[in-house]
Amino acid sequence: MSTTGANADPLAVLSTLPTVAESVEAVRKAVDRVYGHRIMRRRSNEITSEAALRAARGSAALAGADWALEEVRRRTDFSGDDEARTVGAALRLSAEAGQLLSIWRQSPLRVLARLHLVAAAGSGDRVGRPRQEGEPVDEPLVELPLPGAAEVSGRLEGLSQLIVAGSSAPALVTAAVVHGELLALRPFGSHNGLVARAAQRIVLVGSGLDPKAVCPADVGHAELGRAAYVAALDGYASGTPEGMAAWIAHCGTAVGLGARESTAVCEALQRGAA
């Protein structure tokens, strides 16, 4: 992340870019549509639960475990092969994210450590802490140059300070930057993509943009595809205003698609109740 002055709010600066402003407005309209649906007023808990399941499926798909939704819904054992463990990790994170909202604004690094602990589901000394110099990273989807441990530490601290201090930027911008920064840094030895996407969900929910967690961006990211995801991340990692704006717009499109997905769920429930 770059800033334009010692006291500048870099997220607010990004928000002024035309591409970003357009994406923010499109997301707001998409979110308003699903929250205005009559089914949301009566059965929002069901929509939230379904969105959590679909978010986990989408995040796992981006991590290489592209299972059908009904397979994710049906399975109870996720301890088998690598794909099963990935899906299990995504499901655990989807359930855990909602429990960490109150902690995020005060201690985001603590939340990130907890998310990794939940995803990795292990007790090794590399779980739940940023990697140290020389430790490998298992994140095959992201092929960007890997920052050193000192850079990771410094940038995580900077990200934490931005979150704790707050920003006037729209929630979409903050969520996309948190997501992109964690993917670019890959601070943990594994599961960085799953953690980054869970952190994005926390920001979107905690900000009030999507308080009931019914606009699963992970669904949209999976629908847009891994190649588009990686290409957009390259833009973020470039650090240029254009590249970062393209990444934020990509995240905005994903949120909009997630909202559309939940709107379709609302429509299906409404037809069933008719």
Side-chain angles (χ1 to χ4, degrees), residues 130-141:
R131 57 185 168 82
Q132 298 174 2
E133 200 65 48
E135 289 181 339
V137 173
D138 180 15
E139 201 68 46
L141 177 62

Side-chain angles (χ1 to χ4, degrees), residues 78 84-94 118-120 191 194:
F78 297 96
R85 287 191 289 272
T86 296
V87 174
L91 287 166
R92 290 192 300 273
L93 284 175
S94 193
V118 168
H191 300 88
L194 294 177

